Amino acid sequence: MALIFEKETEFEADFDAVSVAEAVVAQAADQEGIPYEFDVNLTLVDSEAIRQINREFRGIDEPTDVLSFPNLDFPAPGDFSLLENESREADYFDLESGQLLLGDIVINVDRVFSQAEEFGHSIKREYAFLIAHSMLHLCGYDHMEPGEAAVMEERQNMVLEALHITRDKSSWT
């Protein structure tokens, strides 16, 4: 696994943002059974930057908490069988490293802080939640329908619980 981490804005927290991101990405990948070494790009931005990205790619001119840009078109959530077609290799793998190009995650750090306060949990928990949420999107999950949302919520919670990053204040360190 390679996490390409970029900060386009300041993110001052009482934890190592890169280490937490790596742990969440690795846990989600293990849980979902990603069958290849892979790259994920994670970029931290502010509200204005994510608003511009949201407008450009989704036609929604407002900030959001996180955006996910999967590189794969999954037949079903977590189904990596499409990668068995060797003719599609150049679409999904870095030809130099051989790593699967899973996708991109863009997190609005302003929302990390405001949502942590709003939901009454730690900044670390909100940050980790948004990464887990996005990793599931990169693995083909969605939450447009109630059934999909329930599955995604359960899988997000499994990632965070495995890392002991919960809403419980004893996990805030």
Side-chain angles (χ1 to χ4, degrees):
M1 171 197 91
L3 176 68
I4 297 90
F5 184 88
E6 296 180 47
K7 282 188 350 181
E8 294 184 2
T9 190
E10 289 301 312
F11 183 63
E12 299 296 328
D14 60 354
F15 59 89
D16 180 359
V18 175
S19 295
V20 170
E22 288 173 338
V24 174
V25 167
Q27 182 61 39
D30 287 348
Q31 176 181 294
E32 297 307 314
I34 298 176
Y36 301 94
E37 289 296 314
F38 63 92
D39 290 347
V40 169
N41 296 309
L42 171 61
T43 305
L44 304 183
V45 299
D46 63 16
S47 289
E48 180 56 26
I50 209 163
R51 183 186 69 79
Q52 290 175 8
I53 297 166
N54 205 17
R55 181 180 61 231
E56 180 180 343
F57 289 96
R58 297 180 61 224
I60 300 172
D61 191 14
E62 59 187 56
T64 188
D65 53 1
V66 65
L67 291 169
S68 308
F69 298 98
N71 189 43
L72 287 79
D73 298 316
F74 290 87
D79 180 355
F80 290 87
S81 65
L82 70 116
L83 299 174
E84 295 168 8
N85 181 346
E86 290 180 25
S87 68
R88 304 290 313 268
E89 202 166 275
D91 295 336
Y92 302 120
F93 291 90
D94 181 297
L95 298 178
E96 288 184 27
S97 70
Q99 301 220 128
L100 172 65
L101 301 171
L102 197 59
D104 299 283
I105 299 169
V106 182
I107 293 179
N108 178 351
V109 299
D110 298 330
R111 287 279 181 92
V112 170
F113 288 97
S114 66
Q115 288 177 180
E117 184 175 332
E118 177 184 344
F119 298 128
H121 53 243
S122 70
I123 293 163
K124 179 180 177 180
R125 196 275 179 191
E126 185 64 21
Y127 175 73
F129 168 81
L130 293 174
I131 296 169
H133 180 86
S134 284
M135 278 297 293
L136 290 173
H137 278 307
L138 298 186
C139 291
Y141 291 86
D142 209 343
H143 48 82
M144 299 305 286
E145 302 294 327
E148 293 174 336
V151 168
M152 199 163 168
E153 184 175 334
E154 178 184 350
R155 301 198 73 72
Q156 290 163 173
N157 288 337
M158 289 169 56
V159 170
L160 298 175
E161 287 171 8
L163 296 170
H164 308 290
I165 302 173
T166 65
R167 288 188 167 140
D168 176 9
K169 290 185 179 187
S170 67
S171 73
W172 287 19
T173 57

